[in-house]
């Protein structure tokens, strides 16, 4: 058990994760006068999806109603209108305060005017961007700014493994650093651990997107919601060293052509290439299967001038973009997650969640492009303010120290291959009730095998594997329990009467 001498590690607000959502939380909490510990397993800023964001950050201009309508339409009417109001009404202030004034991000502009971009399913130009590498131009300055604030301690290469809970209240987390595990007690704990890309063989996310925060919260008893809504991005260049080709490229006029060079999107949706993401992703997958390949034809635009970063990425991989960029769908974003209110509070006392690991209701069954950075920023600021003013209460926490970290050889690799196979086959872009039933059974077994080791071992690899197996099971179960195709959850067969 934890002794008094070991409980010296306390903080006002413990933020877990250093993407845009964790950074915004830390900033807001520090501004309120809290002592903040920002723990991140990242060793480099690029270990967060926020770094890789391309198209940009959507922001309300003089169009709150149409922005709201676009979000609701992209979600198939399933987004929570109150949550969307919070996003739309706070967008401008959050962007001006943090991105313009505090961080001084140099968004692309022509003279005095910002160059607002347009992406699929947006009815207006409202996306602030820096070329097609917006994320790094936000996250780099954000981390530097936080490092200059005395009240904020950043602990890199430090993974949260478990929440410390007592009678439904969260008191901090066990943090692992350099193989050592210690409890850190916090007045409030804020999970900002990002997405779940590592569950799928092809994803746009960095490798560390293993669902840790969702797993810790769910295992502690927090509500999770909408887990079946996993978004696949339609245009990922998968030739070698995969990279995302931003929706902004289609927004500026690029066309999708199948293996017979035929433009196919008008046959799938009236908005053609600018249809919601889930529609385009399924169409690309089907046309690849039917005709062998799909390419993004960038000849209608001045590609190299408008998207020099992307042109450079093609060229460095030997892809001649002039004859079209080969694309396929890949896992991109989880719309659901830890259920939170308009200030990021979860169902557990003193636990908050922000960013991609949370479920605010803004995305419903399908996310509108370029609203994720904004959601992380807006909810991060709100949660950071709401999470302050609570003193840490060091309690007797179960000890995670002194356990044998060694795992059988190839244990992790074998489990990850099995998990990827079942997620790609049964819990991907198109699902069937029978496939989901099979996936749930396989994943339950796999989780049991991993759990058997977490009772006696504490290595970070093992906890990441646990994160993957728990979130995969949560996704498969939620999908199996939802008989209606909506947004990202698409059933290619209806459930039969005797499906249980
Ligand atoms: C290639 C790409 C392009 C994108 N383009 C856009 C775009 O143009 N516009 C847009 O709005 N959205 C875009 N998105 C989505 C958006 O970037 C993400 O949804 C958003 O940045 C998530 O922010 P976050 O802070 O929640 O998580 P992340 O930025 O992923 O940060 C999560 C952090 O948590 C840390 N972490 C995880 N587990 C633990 C643990 N157990 N202990 C400690 N630390 C942990 C990670 O190391 C990381 O630092 C894109 C995503 C990708 C991958």
């Amino acid at each position: 058990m934890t002794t008094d001498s070991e409980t010296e590690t306390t903080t006002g607000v413990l933020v877990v994760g250093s993407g845009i959502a964790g950074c915004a939380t830390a900033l807001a909490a520090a501004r309120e006068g809290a002592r903040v510990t920002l723990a991140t397993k990242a060793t480099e800023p690029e270990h967060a999806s926020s770094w890789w964001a391309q198209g940009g950050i959507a922001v309300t201009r003089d169009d709150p109603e149409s922005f709201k309508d676009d979000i609701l339409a992209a979600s198939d009417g399933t987004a929570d209108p109150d949550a969307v109001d919070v996003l739309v009404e706070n967008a401008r202030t959050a962007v001006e305060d943090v991105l313009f004034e505090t961080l001084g991000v140099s968004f692309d502009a022509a003279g005095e005017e910002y160059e607002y971009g347009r992406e699929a399913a947006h009815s207006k130009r409202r996306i602030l961007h820096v070329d097609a590498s917006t994320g790094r131009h936000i996250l780099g300055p954000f981390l530097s700014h936080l490092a200059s604030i005395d009240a904020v301690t950043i602990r890199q290469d430090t993974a949260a493994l478990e929440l410390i809970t007592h009678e439904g209240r969260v008191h901090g987390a066990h943090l692992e650093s350099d193989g050592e595990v210690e409890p850190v007690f916090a007045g409030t704990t804020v999970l900002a651990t990002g997405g779940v890309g590592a569950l799928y063989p092809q994803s746009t996310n960095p490798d560390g997107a293993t669902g840790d925060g969702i797993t810790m919260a769910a295992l502690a008893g927090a509500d999770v919601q909408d887990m079946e809504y996993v978004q696949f991005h339609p245009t990922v260049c998968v030739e070698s060293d995969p990279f995302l080709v931003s929706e902004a490229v289609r927004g500026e006029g690029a066309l999708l052509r199948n293996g017979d060079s035929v433009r196919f999107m008008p046959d799938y949706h009236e908005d053609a290439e600018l249809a919601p993401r889930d529609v385009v992703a399924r169409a690309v997958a089907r046309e690849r299967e039917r005709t062998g390949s799909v390419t993004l034809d960038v000849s209608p635009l001045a590609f190299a001038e408008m998207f020099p970063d992307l042109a450079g990425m093609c060229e460095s991989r030997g892809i001649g973009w002039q004859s079209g960029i080969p694309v396929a769908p890949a896992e991109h974003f989880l719309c659901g997650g830890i259920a939170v209110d308009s200030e990021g509070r979860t169902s557990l006392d003193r636990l908050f969640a922000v960013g991609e690991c949370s479920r605010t209701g803004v995305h419903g069954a399908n996310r509108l492009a370029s609203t994720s950075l904004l959601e992380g920023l807006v909810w991060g600021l709100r949660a950071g303010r709401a999470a302050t003013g609570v003193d840490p209460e060091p309690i007797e926490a179960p000890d995670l120290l002194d356990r044998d970290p060694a795992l059988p050889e190839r244990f992790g690799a074998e489990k990850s291959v099995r998990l990827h196979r079942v997620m790609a086959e049964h819990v991907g872009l198109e699902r069937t009730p029978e496939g989901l039933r099979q996936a749930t059974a396989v994943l339950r077994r796999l989780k049991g095998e991993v759990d058997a080791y977490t009772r006696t071992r504490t290595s970070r690899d093992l906890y990441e594997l646990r994160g993957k197996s728990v979130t995969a099971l949560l996704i498969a179960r939620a999908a199996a329990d939802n008989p209606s195709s909506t947004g990202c959850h698409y059933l290619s067969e209806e459930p039969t009467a005797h499906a249980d």
Side-chain angles (χ1 to χ4, degrees):
M1 302 299 279
T2 311
T3 65
D4 280 346
S5 64
E6 287 164 346
T7 58
E8 285 165 6
T9 322
T10 58
T11 189
V13 180
L14 172 63
V15 181
V16 182
S18 58
I20 192 168
C23 288
T25 308
L27 176 68
R31 281 175 170 175
E32 295 290 311
R35 210 154 43 88
V36 180
T37 299
L38 179 65
T40 177
K41 69 182 180 184
T43 51
E44 302 291 338
E46 55 262 44
H47 295 157
S49 288
S50 300
W51 177 269
W52 297 101
Q54 291 189 351
I57 181 163
V59 65
T60 318
R61 298 177 70 189
D62 54 356
D63 57 349
E65 281 310 316
S66 74
F67 191 9
K68 182 176 179 182
D69 289 347
D70 290 348
I71 295 174
L72 291 171
S75 78
D76 245 354
T78 57
D80 172 353
D82 294 336
V84 180
D85 280 339
V86 170
L87 186 84
V88 168
E89 284 164 15
N90 290 283
R92 190 90 224 164
T93 321
V95 166
E96 284 181 359
D97 165 14
V98 178
L99 305 187
F100 294 178
E101 282 157 33
T102 305
L103 304 181
V105 179
S106 297
F107 290 108
D108 288 358
E112 298 284 285
E113 290 290 310
Y114 286 113
E115 273 179 4
Y116 289 94
R118 182 168 180 212
E119 293 193 32
H122 282 273
S123 59
K124 300 226 163 106
R125 289 187 168 270
R126 58 166 77 92
I127 296 156
L128 287 165
H129 59 99
V130 185
D131 188 7
S133 56
T134 308
R136 69 195 63 185
H137 292 280
I138 294 175
L139 199 60
F142 218 152
L143 288 165
S144 304
H145 181 71
L146 290 177
S148 72
I149 301 177
D150 286 344
V152 179
T153 304
I154 301 179
R155 293 185 54 176
Q156 282 188 331
D157 199 4
T158 301
L161 303 185
E162 298 268 16
L163 294 174
I164 301 169
T165 57
H166 182 64
E167 294 181 350
R169 174 172 286 174
V170 175
H171 292 276
H174 288 281
L175 302 185
E176 180 273 331
S177 178
D178 239 348
E180 296 287 313
V181 185
E182 61 171 357
V184 170
F185 295 98
T188 50
T189 305
V190 186
L191 297 170
T193 52
V196 298
L199 272 54
Y200 289 86
Q202 303 245 307
S203 166
T204 60
N205 296 184
D207 294 345
T210 46
D212 303 357
I214 296 170
T215 297
M216 287 187 276
L219 293 179
D223 294 340
V224 294
Q225 220 177 323
D226 290 349
M227 291 296 288
E228 66 273 42
Y229 301 124
V230 179
Q231 187 172 69
F232 288 74
H233 198 287
T235 55
V236 177
C237 178
V238 287
E239 285 296 280
S240 67
D241 191 8
F243 66 97
L244 183 135
V245 184
S246 168
E247 218 127 32
V249 181
R250 273 177 289 131
E252 298 299 342
L255 304 173
L256 284 161
R257 297 192 186 281
N258 64 21
D260 303 325
S261 301
V262 174
R263 183 180 174 213
F264 55 87
M265 274 316 299
D267 297 337
Y268 284 87
H269 195 280
E270 59 187 3
D271 293 333
E273 278 80 2
L274 299 186
R277 253 184 203 170
D278 59 311
V279 176
V280 184
R282 280 194 298 275
V284 169
R286 284 183 194 169
E287 293 295 319
R288 271 174 60 90
E289 201 171 308
R290 206 174 63 77
T291 66
S293 65
V294 167
T295 50
L296 189 64
D297 172 4
V298 294
S299 62
L301 57 149
F303 181 63
E305 277 132 64
M306 295 176 86
F307 299 98
D309 287 355
L310 287 172
M313 285 162 109
C314 289
E315 281 154 18
S316 68
R317 289 162 177 82
I319 296 164
W321 52 264
Q322 294 83 349
S323 46
I325 305 169
V327 290
E331 190 283 342
H332 185 56
F333 182 83
L334 178 65
C335 300
I338 307 160
V340 296
D341 70 8
S342 64
E343 289 176 312
R345 277 185 203 82
T346 71
S347 61
L348 295 183
D349 192 18
R350 301 191 185 176
L351 181 69
F352 290 70
V354 289
E356 192 170 335
C357 72
S358 71
R359 184 273 182 199
T360 60
V362 159
H363 309 301
N366 190 34
R367 172 173 78 98
L368 179 66
S370 287
T371 53
S372 174
L373 290 175
L374 183 62
E375 182 194 41
L377 179 66
V378 167
W379 256 263
L381 294 175
R382 294 170 73 80
R385 283 192 289 267
T388 53
V390 184
D391 289 330
E393 280 177 49
I395 57 157
E396 287 209 338
D399 195 354
L400 292 189
L401 286 171
D402 300 330
R403 291 187 188 169
D404 173 12
L407 283 172
E409 214 184 315
R410 299 211 32 85
F411 179 84
E414 186 271 328
K415 302 278 176 282
S416 295
V417 167
R418 263 166 68 202
L419 187 124
H420 279 173
R421 197 181 304 134
V422 73
M423 294 304 282
E425 198 170 332
H426 297 303
V427 202
L429 262 176
E430 298 201 18
R431 304 157 179 187
T432 66
E434 178 51 31
L436 290 169
R437 230 188 337 266
Q438 282 178 29
T440 308
V442 173
L443 291 167
R444 198 181 290 124
R445 261 198 313 280
L446 201 139
K447 176 182 167 298
E449 290 163 21
V450 176
D451 281 352
Y453 281 89
T454 51
R455 283 193 272 280
T456 55
R457 288 164 169 82
T458 50
S459 73
R460 192 184 299 187
D461 288 354
L462 179 62
Y463 272 75
E464 288 191 332
L465 200 55
R466 183 186 70 161
K468 290 198 281 188
S469 67
V470 171
T471 36
L473 185 57
L474 288 168
I475 292 169
R477 264 201 210 139
D481 287 347
N482 184 349
S484 48
S485 287
T486 323
C488 306
H489 175 58
Y490 183 82
L491 291 165
S492 53
E493 274 171 29
E494 293 300 312
T496 55
H498 37 263
D500 57 31

